[in-house]
Amino acid sequence: MGFNIAQKIISSHLVSGEMVKGKEIGLKIDQTLTQDATGTMAYLQFEAMGVARVKTERSVAYIDHNTLQTGFENADDHRFIGSVAKKHGIWFSRPGNGICHQVHLERFGKPGKTLIGSDSHTPTAGGLGMLAIGAGGLDAAVAMGGGAYYITMPEVLKINLSGKLSDWVSAKDVILYILKKLSVKGGVGKILEYGGEGIKSLSVPERATITNMGAELGATTSVFPADDITLEFLKAQGRAEDFVELLADNDAVYDGQLDIELGELIPLAACPHSPDNVKSLSEIGEIKIDQVCIGSCTNSSYRDLMIVSKVLKGKTVHPDVDLSIAPGSKQVFNMLAANGALADLIGAGARILESTCGPCIGMGQSPGSRGVSLRTFNRNFEGRSGTKDAQVYLLSPEIAVVSALTGKLTDPRTLGTMPVIEQPKAFLHNDNMVTSPADESLAASLEIQRGPNIKPFPINSPLPDDIKACVVLKVGDNITTDHIAPAGAKVLPLRSNIPAISEFCFTPCDPLFPERAKQAKSGLIIGGTNYGQGSSREHAALCPLYLGIKAIICVSFARIHRQNLINNGIIPLVFKNAADYEKIEQGVSLELNGIKQAIKENLPIFINNPESGEKYELLCELSERGRKILLAGGLLNSVKS
Ligand code: MIC
Ligand code: SF4
């Protein structure tokens, strides 16, 4: 029996466990990436581990999220990360060099290798044939220190593409179609592996748009083969030597298959407020729009922005629309400048932003009240844009640009023949904004530069025998990390300061939560299904920890967030009977007696309500390793002991 691509990469990196679905496996990690919003914590944790130099083949620290410098905080964090990188053997991609996933795809990713990134869209590099997984900062820190990364062996779902996309339908429509079919929970516990004749017509950046948004399916990761198309891309990046062919065996076996005829797809959009709320443009109608934002790690490649510039050339953005464009990387930006496309964008009235995440993470361009914003991004959770009542639609650059001209949601197929954008034979590559680490002999003498906003992070204590705690919050299904630890220009500068950022914890759901949790001292949170979906931000565990949360009890968890909870010693519990969710009210006091022993010996777990006498059975599925981490009060304690 042959191997699929996922199994090939996993088997060549397996350091513990067996490739049996549902069992824990440990993987050797070749590369890591961090970005600045999760990076400061990750590097503080790396420092706490006491490892002098990273043990990976390549680790890169990107500055791309917190680049709006309205005070000293972000700039201080950049300096801190730069100094850690220099000392500890990490390449440092300076602000202005681009969004981590776009730059990593262009300059550093390698087929057949493993990559852990402290950002949930790390699977973007799957477009190159890497096994690239998003994780919390602490997991990234451990990987930098040479530790394995542990996952539950996922199912591998084959996405079999046939045919060819029609004019004005693009990679974004492929992934939106899959989101519509599978939902934001549909990828949980799965790797999506792409194959079939249809992939031959998709360039690496187009493939990367698709693997990028696999994160929105909750998938462990997504991967394309490394084939002739991959080689062409790497050659054009001046990196042909990084190519290895990686194809699924003819007799490879999959756990399921989804067939998609590319020619049958039409332009789609994800409606407010979820990436899987996908509809066709005719279903939505020609709604009037206020804003268009083009960019993000999903859709800001050379190909995407060239289409946009061709459509805008010689035209003017609709008077009621505000159009902003952020090229994904310095490479893309530079090429648009060199070939004149940038002049077409500027000439049409686009507001050109620097090569960063920008509006995608609420760092500027928040829409006006009730504003309708069309974005080529990957997340449209309520409030993420910085405007609570904004209506954000996720869609392709093709739909975005034509709508920016008409002032209403418009089907790009009305534009006639689509311009052909050839992939350049040679991309303009110049890594002058990537600082290499200091020589090992000099490293010890280098000082780390710490600003006053960098505060110590909370570390849990070992699991107690019994927990008495109050249900300080009850929330519903699909709670995102943007609810738990919101982003945006006001909050992001506090990412290195857990006491300060904790004041925003859960405030999109309940502004009084931080105060109530602090008063209770020992708290529980009750949630529905897919609790913690979205980002990899560890702050969604660190802030609750700081506020005294001992356990989260819900119907189901999203993968990265659950791991972040375990890594910080917060117990992730699920209801044995989902119906018990209804029975627990906010405000009641509950008891988890003998919890330490139950976790240690894998015994049934019950939570009691001493007042009513009711009790509910809970589950906490853990590997041997997970058990140790939780008992120790988190990964750092466990690594130290
Ligand atoms: C996001 O898209 O939500 C982010 C910001 O990139 C996060 C990371 C973070 O919160 O810093 C992610 O996707 O993991
Ligand atoms: Fe940045 Fe947005 Fe991509 Fe997150 S999803 S890495 S915020 S561009």
Side-chain angles (χ1 to χ4, degrees):
M1 193 176 74
F3 275 175
N4 54 46
I5 296 163
Q7 288 166 331
K8 285 189 180 180
I9 308 183
I10 291 173
S11 64
S12 62
H13 288 80
L14 202 62
V15 293
S16 73
E18 278 176 76
M19 284 202 302
V20 176
K21 224 177 359 182
K23 293 270 182 255
E24 186 178 74
I25 52 169
L27 296 174
K28 176 185 172 294
I29 298 305
D30 303 318
Q31 299 192 343
T32 63
L33 72 78
T34 57
Q35 38 90 339
D36 50 323
T38 53
T40 37
M41 265 314 137
Y43 293 116
L44 288 171
Q45 291 160 332
F46 180 77
E47 284 189 303
M49 283 162 33
V51 179
R53 296 285 278 193
V54 293
K55 302 216 163 50
T56 44
E57 292 172 14
R58 167 89 66 186
S59 286
V60 190
Y62 293 91
I63 305 293
D64 55 359
H65 281 61
N66 296 348
T67 56
L68 203 63
Q69 291 162 224
T70 53
F72 63 91
E73 293 88 349
N74 291 342
D76 277 7
D77 285 356
H78 301 170
R79 207 156 48 187
F80 166 72
I81 294 175
S83 65
V84 170
K86 203 165 197 122
K87 190 177 174 80
H88 294 292
I90 300 153
W91 271 258
F92 180 61
S93 172
R94 292 162 59 187
N97 197 43
I99 306 175
C100 53
H101 309 302
Q102 176 71 23
V103 179
H104 210 82
L105 191 77
E106 293 168 354
R107 306 304 307 146
F108 299 115
K110 289 188 187 181
K113 298 281 182 185
T114 51
L115 166 71
I116 291 299
S118 66
D119 190 282
S120 64
H121 290 102
T122 303
T124 311
L128 263 181
M130 287 192 97
L131 194 81
I133 306 179
L138 192 45
D139 282 320
V142 168
M144 284 188 266
Y149 180 66
Y150 295 87
I151 49 169
T152 307
M153 179 65 199
E155 290 183 13
V156 184
L157 175 65
K158 179 168 182 185
I159 310 286
N160 187 42
L161 305 180
S162 56
K164 204 168 168 302
L165 290 166
S166 314
D167 273 6
W168 302 107
V169 181
S170 65
K172 184 63 155 277
D173 299 303
V174 178
I175 188 65
L176 288 177
Y177 174 81
I178 299 173
L179 271 153
K180 183 181 166 87
K181 277 234 139 232
L182 302 184
S183 92
V184 290
K185 292 180 278 217
V188 175
K190 298 190 176 77
I191 293 180
L192 271 62
E193 180 170 316
Y194 290 81
E197 280 299 297
I199 62 168
K200 298 212 172 113
S201 61
L202 297 171
S203 67
V204 167
E206 291 172 290
R207 294 174 176 188
T209 293
I210 297 173
T211 53
N212 171 280
M213 268 189 97
E216 275 54 67
L217 293 159
T220 303
T221 190
S222 305
V223 67
F224 271 84
D227 56 8
D228 294 350
I229 310 274
T230 323
L231 177 59
E232 230 172 82
F233 176 79
L234 286 172
K235 268 192 196 153
Q237 290 288 352
R239 306 204 282 129
E241 70 282 3
D242 289 346
F243 178 73
V244 291
E245 191 179 56
L246 187 64
L247 308 173
D249 290 333
N250 288 335
D251 54 347
V253 177
Y254 294 88
D255 298 295
Q257 178 161 325
L258 175 66
D259 294 305
I260 301 176
E261 165 59 52
L262 295 174
E264 284 172 8
L265 298 184
I266 54 167
L268 297 169
C271 301
H273 298 285
S274 181
D276 63 356
N277 188 12
V278 174
K279 299 200 171 109
S280 68
L281 302 190
S282 57
E283 277 175 284
I284 304 167
E286 290 187 337
I287 50 169
K288 190 177 165 325
I289 62 169
D290 304 289
Q291 185 191 54
V292 173
C293 298
I294 298 176
S296 91
C297 56
T298 315
N299 277 120
S300 59
S301 65
Y302 174 81
R303 179 246 168 234
D304 286 345
L305 296 197
M306 281 308 294
I307 294 260
V308 169
S309 76
K310 294 257 189 227
V311 175
L312 286 182
K313 189 179 170 80
K315 312 235 171 61
T316 303
V317 174
H318 189 275
D320 297 339
V321 176
D322 186 284
L323 168 66
S324 64
I325 300 178
S329 65
K330 169 168 155 283
Q331 176 178 95
V332 173
F333 210 161
N334 224 339
M335 288 178 72
L336 298 179
N339 72 9
L342 183 59
D344 296 330
L345 302 179
I346 296 171
R351 298 170 64 183
I352 309 297
L353 308 178
E354 59 175 338
S355 292
T356 60
C357 303
C360 178
I361 190 61
M363 281 298 207
Q365 318 311 113
S366 298
S369 301
R370 293 182 303 282
V372 175
S373 178
L374 308 187
R375 300 181 161 208
T376 64
F377 307 167
N378 50 39
R379 290 189 174 141
N380 60 346
F381 304 141
E382 195 173 2
R384 179 171 160 107
S385 66
T387 302
K388 187 140 185 16
D389 57 8
Q391 304 292 309
V392 177
Y393 293 76
L394 307 173
L395 32 74
S396 67
E398 289 82 352
I399 307 175
V401 67
V402 59
S403 305
L405 292 174
T406 59
K408 54 190 190 211
L409 182 66
T410 305
D411 191 326
R413 292 174 297 180
T414 51
L415 286 178
T417 328
M418 190 170 79
V420 178
I421 310 295
E422 294 287 351
Q423 177 169 283
K425 288 275 166 285
F427 287 98
L428 206 150
H429 50 87
N430 176 354
D431 296 326
N432 60 343
M433 290 296 280
V434 181
T435 311
S436 48
D439 192 74
E440 212 164 342
S441 59
L442 299 174
S445 63
L446 295 179
E447 277 210 15
I448 301 296
Q449 301 185 320
R450 260 171 255 275
N453 186 45
I454 299 183
K455 296 277 190 280
F457 57 92
I459 299 184
N460 216 335
S461 23
L463 201 68
D465 290 325
D466 307 304
I467 292 175
K468 284 194 183 44
C470 170
V471 175
V472 283
L473 187 70
K474 181 171 179 180
V475 287
D477 291 342
N478 290 322
I479 284 295
T480 73
T481 51
D482 277 283
H483 291 110
I484 310 172
K490 281 195 209 89
V491 188
L492 278 172
L494 304 173
R495 280 288 179 94
S496 326
N497 185 338
I498 299 297
I501 202 171
S502 294
E503 295 299 326
F504 296 87
C505 185
F506 268 117
T507 49
C509 302
D510 180 350
L512 302 179
F513 170 77
E515 201 39 50
R516 192 163 61 243
K518 269 191 275 180
Q519 296 215 334
K521 290 201 172 64
S522 174
L524 299 170
I525 293 171
I526 307 291
T529 58
N530 202 22
Y531 178 91
Q533 67 158 329
S535 145
S536 69
R537 62 189 73 147
E538 211 170 2
H539 300 76
L542 286 166
C543 297
L545 170 63
Y546 180 79
L547 295 172
I549 301 304
K550 308 295 178 210
I552 314 284
I553 307 172
C554 63
V555 180
S556 67
F557 285 98
R559 177 186 68 89
I560 306 179
H561 184 60
R562 179 175 188 272
Q563 192 56 48
N564 283 339
L565 291 173
I566 296 174
N567 286 352
N568 286 287
I570 298 179
I571 320 170
L573 295 162
V574 297
F575 289 106
K576 182 157 188 213
N577 301 312
D580 287 346
Y581 166 84
E582 299 297 340
K583 299 183 189 150
I584 302 184
E585 303 274 320
Q586 186 169 310
V588 297
S589 285
L590 301 175
E591 292 180 0
L592 280 161
N593 295 323
I595 182 71
K596 183 171 163 187
Q597 198 182 359
I599 297 280
K600 204 177 195 166
E601 293 169 26
N602 201 11
L603 306 173
I605 300 172
F606 293 94
I607 192 156
N608 309 310
N609 180 341
E611 241 172 70
S612 68
E614 280 179 63
K615 69 177 184 180
Y616 313 103
E617 185 164 1
L618 306 172
L619 305 171
C620 187
E621 263 185 48
L622 291 165
S623 63
E624 207 33 53
R625 183 179 161 273
R627 210 177 298 289
K628 274 198 193 126
I629 296 176
L630 209 50
L631 289 167
L635 182 55
L636 267 185
N637 292 339
S638 151
V639 168
K640 278 191 193 151
S641 68

